[in-house]
Amino acid sequence: MRDLGDAIVRVTRTTICGTDLHILKGDVPTCAPGRILGHEGVGVVEAAGAGVASFKPGDHVLISCISACGRCEYCRRGMYSHCTTGGWILGNEIDGTQAEYVRIPHADTSLYPIPAGADEDALVMLSDILPTGFECGVLNGQVAPGGTVAIVGTGPVGLAALLTARFYSPAEIIAIDLDDNRLAVAQRFGATLTINSGKADVTRIVRDRTNGRGVDTAIEAVGIPATFDICQNIVAPGGVIANVGVHGNKVDLHLESLWSANISITTRLVDTSSTPMLLKTVAAKRIDPKVLITHRFKLAQLIEAYEVFANAARHQALKVIIEP
């Protein structure tokens, strides 16, 4: 341990995130070569620094993808993702969770206790993708009862946005993707309309479905110019484009058509401020994030796990569970 507030956690379950693939593509310059990746997981506290008050060896914990000191200016504003000594550092600026053990800085405010009997497979989804889909997509997108929502990209984070958008009872949830398997999953999860953007005119279908208006909330959950363009084409006047995807290339902003449309564009790195609420929701069985898990691997099979996750359409993969 490097600091009195650190904890060492023995990882029992972890996973791979789409952001890890962006790192391998070179889209995240803060991550140096040789870094152990991974920012999601659950485990057991192996050791705790003298400054850790809330956890002790043997405690089962959920690891947050965001490390937060709880004291700096950003933390006091609830922007834990921009903590001056933390933020998204696991698997980025420090070694991450795709390992047998991981060091967690600011353990008191970066770990969550797991109650006895909880489904730890499901809780892995609460490290990142569920709060990301909820905070960056649903909350930033101002999803509201009776509203219309389009989720562009139905990978794990897009599906997490879909699951949590249902908290607010929108009248319409439109799922858009190139992968028919993922669209079928989105339909099972509650999408009222699915569109394969490689086979159909998305803009025409969405406009027809919404009486020419477009959607109140367009959630971009991929991180490429084509999907951001779709959001610009289908957002209604007064609507919101909520960007969730990690963008490695520039996108064009079509102000020539949007300047008078009263739209808002939001960006956000997940703060995980919603994690305590989501933990209660999962414990109450109001939502089951375990449905996102499709594959399981041992840590020794990590290369194979990355191959499956990176070629999700071929393997019909969503989230993979990796057990050290």
Side-chain angles (χ1 to χ4, degrees):
M1 285 181 285
R2 298 182 183 178
D3 187 269
L4 296 178
D6 290 355
I8 303 298
V9 174
R10 175 172 57 84
V11 179
T12 57
R13 292 170 181 81
T14 185
T15 185
I16 301 170
C17 180
T19 307
D20 296 325
L21 300 183
H22 279 282
I23 288 173
L24 295 177
K25 287 168 57 181
D27 293 342
V28 184
T30 51
C31 186
R35 176 71 64 224
I36 294 173
L37 300 184
H39 48 267
E40 302 164 88
V42 298
V44 180
V45 175
E46 187 79 9
V52 177
S54 301
F55 300 97
K56 63 184 185 305
D59 286 347
H60 287 244
V61 292
L62 167 67
I63 300 166
S64 175
C65 65
I66 298 297
S67 302
C69 73
R71 298 184 298 271
C72 71
E73 177 186 355
Y74 287 115
C75 284
R76 288 178 179 272
R77 292 167 56 188
M79 294 177 62
Y80 306 115
S81 59
H82 291 273
C83 173
T84 55
T85 55
W88 174 41
I89 54 175
L90 280 178
N92 178 15
E93 298 178 19
I94 66 173
D95 286 338
T97 57
Q98 292 168 13
E100 293 178 319
Y101 295 89
V102 63
R103 177 179 69 90
I104 305 296
H106 308 306
D108 276 335
T109 43
S110 304
L111 296 173
Y112 296 88
I114 294 178
D119 187 335
E120 296 192 3
D121 282 350
L123 294 188
V124 174
M125 305 300 109
L126 270 69
S127 287
D128 181 2
I129 64 163
L130 214 64
T132 294
F134 181 57
E135 295 176 17
C136 305
V138 176
L139 293 184
N140 267 20
Q142 300 176 28
V143 174
T148 52
V149 181
I151 299 171
V152 185
T154 54
V157 171
L159 291 172
L162 193 161
L163 289 171
T164 54
R166 294 175 61 190
F167 292 165
Y168 295 93
S169 301
E172 190 92 76
I173 302 178
I174 302 169
I176 301 164
D177 204 293
L178 292 167
D179 184 343
D180 285 329
N181 174 66
R182 288 187 166 182
L183 290 172
V185 173
Q187 189 170 37
R188 291 203 306 271
F189 287 4
T192 55
L193 174 67
T194 61
I195 306 172
N196 186 314
S197 55
K199 300 176 181 178
D201 184 338
V202 173
T203 302
R204 180 186 61 78
I205 293 172
V206 171
R207 296 284 177 181
D208 287 349
R209 183 81 167 201
T210 57
N211 296 317
R213 290 183 61 253
V215 296
D216 301 309
T217 303
I219 297 174
E220 198 289 326
V222 183
I224 59 174
T227 49
F228 193 82
D229 279 347
I230 290 173
C231 291
Q232 294 184 82
N233 291 334
I234 63 175
V235 67
V240 180
I241 297 175
N243 185 82
V244 182
V246 177
H247 289 266
N249 296 296
K250 73 176 184 66
V251 300
D252 292 325
L253 178 61
H254 292 292
L255 284 178
E256 75 279 5
S257 56
L258 296 175
W259 69 270
S260 61
N262 292 55
I263 70 156
S264 300
I265 299 174
T266 65
T267 67
R268 184 171 183 174
L269 183 59
V270 63
D271 293 302
T272 65
S273 55
S274 65
T275 302
M277 179 277 289
L278 292 170
L279 276 165
K280 293 176 184 177
T281 304
V282 171
K285 302 188 185 305
R286 303 295 295 176
I287 189 172
D288 181 15
K290 192 174 179 178
V291 295
L292 295 166
I293 300 169
T294 57
H295 293 72
R296 294 175 180 276
F297 299 92
K298 296 296 184 183
L299 186 60
Q301 300 171 294
L302 188 60
I303 299 300
E304 181 184 350
Y306 264 93
E307 191 279 329
V308 167
F309 189 71
N311 297 281
R314 184 195 313 162
H315 298 283
Q316 296 190 354
L318 292 173
K319 289 295 279 186
V320 303
I321 288 288
I322 300 164
E323 298 178 271

